[in-house]
Amino acid sequence: MSKMMDAFNEQIKNEFYSAYLYLSMSAYFADQGLPGFASWMRVQAKEEVTHAAKMYDYVLSRGGSITLQAIEAPQSSWESPLAVMEAGLEHERFVTGKINGLMELAIQEKDHASKIFLSWFVTEQVEEEQNFGDIVNALKLIKGEGQGLLMMDRELGSRTFTDETQAPAE
Ligand code: FEO
């Protein structure tokens, strides 16, 4: 079981890194005068902390131990709003790969409880990639500027935080 618990510890770091990266992206948007995008990213960062917490609680519930790892400094500037969102999408694809790796390990280790636990994250990653992908597509349509960008900023600013880890996956 410790192999599995070690892998969860590694993923807790990845989820906190995601929060750090999105907070950095939020700061970039705030600096660019796009408060709606900045707010959307703040919500995204909060979500990532709940992902880390869900894994943290799970490790403890299985009698595993937590060893928090160092979090790398994230990138702090990008070329454009589109470049930020493309980097976000790329990062979510990276995380999906990590979650799939955890699932493969759980299958290999015949750790049925971890398989069930991880299925929430498998579903969540579909949503995560879709959220970033939709924004990337919309930014491409409006060519990332002008009136369209301001309208998107207003729309993204309406996103509110809900702790989805407290609800069963759909
Ligand atoms: Fe925790 Fe964005 O995946």
Side-chain angles (χ1 to χ4, degrees):
M1 185 164 91
S2 84
K3 212 176 179 185
M4 194 73 236
M5 293 302 131
D6 288 350
F8 274 119
N9 270 281
E10 177 81 22
Q11 187 58 22
I12 288 168
K13 179 201 70 181
N14 292 333
E15 299 292 345
F16 275 121
Y17 174 77
S18 303
Y20 229 38
L21 175 64
Y22 297 145
L23 204 52
S24 183
M25 289 175 169
S26 178
Y28 164 85
F29 281 128
D31 191 54
Q32 297 290 308
L34 292 166
F37 279 86
S39 166
W40 190 94
M41 276 298 179
R42 277 295 280 268
V43 173
Q44 187 63 33
K46 270 192 196 170
E47 263 200 16
E48 299 301 350
V49 174
T50 67
H51 295 169
K54 189 178 177 80
M55 282 188 186
Y56 177 105
D57 289 339
Y58 177 71
V59 169
L60 293 181
S61 76
R62 294 292 307 279
S65 51
I66 295 286
T67 309
L68 293 177
Q69 301 176 12
I71 305 169
E72 248 178 78
Q75 193 173 330
S76 58
S77 71
W78 290 266
E79 233 172 58
S80 63
L82 176 61
V84 178
M85 289 300 183
E86 281 176 333
L89 176 58
E90 193 185 317
H91 181 68
E92 286 301 333
R93 287 177 177 150
F94 164 80
V95 173
T96 299
K98 293 291 179 187
I99 296 292
N100 289 343
L102 281 168
M103 182 61 104
E104 277 154 32
L105 183 62
I107 291 166
Q108 201 183 307
E109 300 276 300
K110 298 186 170 52
D111 183 345
H112 302 294
S114 291
K115 283 196 285 181
I116 292 166
F117 173 77
L118 282 163
S119 68
W120 184 90
F121 284 90
V122 171
T123 308
E124 175 67 12
Q125 282 310 120
V126 174
E127 195 185 300
E128 295 280 77
E129 287 191 31
Q130 190 181 9
N131 288 345
F132 277 94
D134 286 350
I135 296 172
V136 164
N137 289 339
L139 278 168
K140 282 181 178 165
L141 275 174
I142 62 162
K143 304 200 186 327
E145 57 187 23
Q147 195 73 11
L149 187 61
L150 290 178
M151 279 175 66
M152 266 189 84
D153 190 59
R154 222 166 293 149
E155 192 189 318
L156 291 180
S158 68
R159 181 185 187 186
T160 54
F161 172 72
T162 46
D163 187 348
E164 290 177 8
T165 64
Q166 300 305 316
E170 282 163 31

